[in-house]
Amino acid sequence: MKLSDTIYTTDQHKQSKNVFLIVLGTILFSIYAGLLIPVNNIGAGGALGLSLVINKLTGIKIGTAQFVLNVPLFYLGFRYIGRKFVILTGIVISVSSFLINNLPKIIPPVNLGDSLVAAIFCGIISGLAMCCLLVAGASTGGTDITGKFISSQFNYSLPTVFLIQDINIYTIVWIFFDIKYVMYALVMSFVRNQTMKGVQKLFSAYIQCTIICSNPEKMVEVINNTLHRGSTIMDVEGGYSHEKKRMIILVIQQNEMHLLRKLVAKNCPEAFITVSAVNTIVGNFKEHSYRL
């Protein structure tokens, strides 16, 4: 199997995964914004929170207001984040705005009867939706764009940036809605923040892998070109057979483990692999995780 074939297959898998995540994230966000938030007396942050205010003051549909608010932010995203990000975000905003306006006509909005339960549930749903979209290189627009810009420019934690932005939006929501809307919205934001951190931690855990094989050069080339990870090669000797072999040592993140196993199985099927957890890394290590 040629190295180019391996890379091509990996790219196809990544593209399919991103399409699935964008579709799933858009549906989850539309359900959260169109079916749960308006009927459960909960405020919201970001462009959605401002859309709720505009809807109350002018009667403009929430989805329409969200779309209009996002148009000026496309320049910021295009200028500082990337063309692909803006295109994908534009698709998500267009589709989600349509769904937010029309889902209530098809599916009755869900009133959970308890605003606290609704806030917790909405926080989980919105957190999962944002994780799916941000991992795939898109977003729900609004403060997602400004948050990603601030996070990339100043190296702040993205969930924390979202929380700070939401607090500012909640101040505006407080002026036009009851204080209870804001209180439940703060609970929702906290749950969403923890959901996003939990998802990121799940997939970004550091692990050290050792691969013992007789011909590591091919395996190292595949690792360098597909995983884009450095590695160390050491000469080793079997304690029982005294057979001379070589050992590859590399540190990856949890989300890369599945791909590494596939690469080893295809290119060095006789290899022996061990995996151990790494608590802390200090130095030049690039994040390849499902970064938010």
Side-chain angles (χ1 to χ4, degrees):
M1 185 176 186
K2 295 180 180 178
L3 175 61
S4 58
D5 294 334
T6 301
I7 296 174
Y8 178 69
T9 302
T10 302
D11 288 342
Q12 279 189 320
H13 173 74
K14 184 177 181 180
Q15 290 173 4
S16 300
K17 178 201 69 179
N18 287 343
V19 170
F20 171 76
L21 289 174
I22 288 175
V23 172
L24 178 61
T26 302
I27 293 174
L28 288 175
F29 177 75
S30 301
I31 292 173
Y32 147 76
L35 301 180
L36 295 174
I37 286 289
V39 297
N40 283 285
N41 300 323
I42 302 174
L48 179 60
L50 294 177
S51 299
L52 291 171
V53 173
I54 293 173
N55 173 258
K56 180 179 180 179
L57 295 178
T58 66
I60 296 176
K61 291 183 177 180
I62 296 172
T64 304
Q66 178 191 241
F67 182 83
V68 172
L69 287 172
N70 276 286
V71 172
L73 297 176
F74 285 158
Y75 171 77
L76 180 65
F78 182 83
R79 177 70 175 81
Y80 294 102
I81 302 176
R83 179 180 179 182
K84 180 181 177 181
F85 176 81
V86 172
I87 292 174
L88 293 177
T89 297
I91 294 173
V92 170
I93 291 171
S94 300
V95 174
S96 64
S97 296
F98 174 81
L99 291 176
I100 290 169
N101 285 344
N102 292 282
L103 271 180
K105 300 176 183 177
I106 303 172
I107 305 173
V110 183
N111 189 335
L112 298 179
D114 187 324
S115 294
L116 181 59
V117 172
I120 294 173
F121 187 68
C122 287
I124 295 172
I125 295 296
S126 62
L128 292 175
M130 292 176 69
C131 284
C132 289
L133 294 172
L134 291 169
V135 165
S139 77
T140 58
T143 52
D144 289 4
I145 295 177
T146 56
K148 199 166 181 66
F149 166 73
I150 294 171
S151 177
S152 62
Q153 294 294 313
F154 302 101
N155 200 30
Y156 293 148
S157 168
L158 191 55
T160 301
V161 173
F162 283 158
L163 185 60
I164 294 173
Q165 290 183 139
D166 284 348
I167 290 174
N168 291 323
I169 299 297
Y170 293 152
T171 303
I172 299 175
V173 174
W174 185 2
I175 297 173
F176 296 97
F177 290 91
D178 190 272
I179 185 62
K180 291 182 179 179
Y181 281 73
V182 179
M183 293 173 65
Y184 289 127
L186 287 172
V187 173
M188 181 185 68
S189 283
F190 177 79
V191 173
R192 181 178 63 192
N193 179 274
Q194 295 304 309
T195 299
M196 294 178 68
K197 285 185 176 180
V199 171
Q200 186 170 22
K201 183 177 181 180
L202 175 66
F203 289 106
S204 65
Y206 303 124
I207 53 177
Q208 178 176 286
C209 302
T210 60
I211 306 170
I212 300 175
C213 56
S214 55
N215 185 20
E217 285 74 18
K218 181 180 180 181
M219 195 64 242
V220 168
E221 182 184 5
V222 172
I223 291 171
N224 289 344
N225 290 281
T226 306
L227 288 175
H228 306 291
R229 290 294 190 192
S231 58
T232 300
I233 302 177
M234 299 177 62
D235 294 320
V236 295
E237 179 181 343
Y240 179 78
S241 64
H242 297 287
E243 182 180 355
K244 302 290 185 181
K245 289 196 175 183
R246 309 191 77 188
M247 180 171 67
I248 305 169
I249 302 176
L250 72 156
V251 176
I252 60 175
Q253 291 176 279
Q254 186 64 51
N255 64 295
E256 298 173 303
M257 188 62 211
H258 177 68
L259 177 56
L260 179 62
R261 286 177 176 172
K262 291 177 65 176
L263 294 176
V264 172
K266 291 179 180 179
N267 296 277
C268 196
E270 80 287 353
F272 177 78
I273 307 174
T274 64
V275 179
S276 57
V278 176
N279 292 325
T280 306
I281 292 180
V282 178
N284 184 23
F285 182 84
K286 294 183 179 180
E287 293 276 347
H288 290 178
S289 67
Y290 292 120
R291 180 168 173 77
L292 303 183

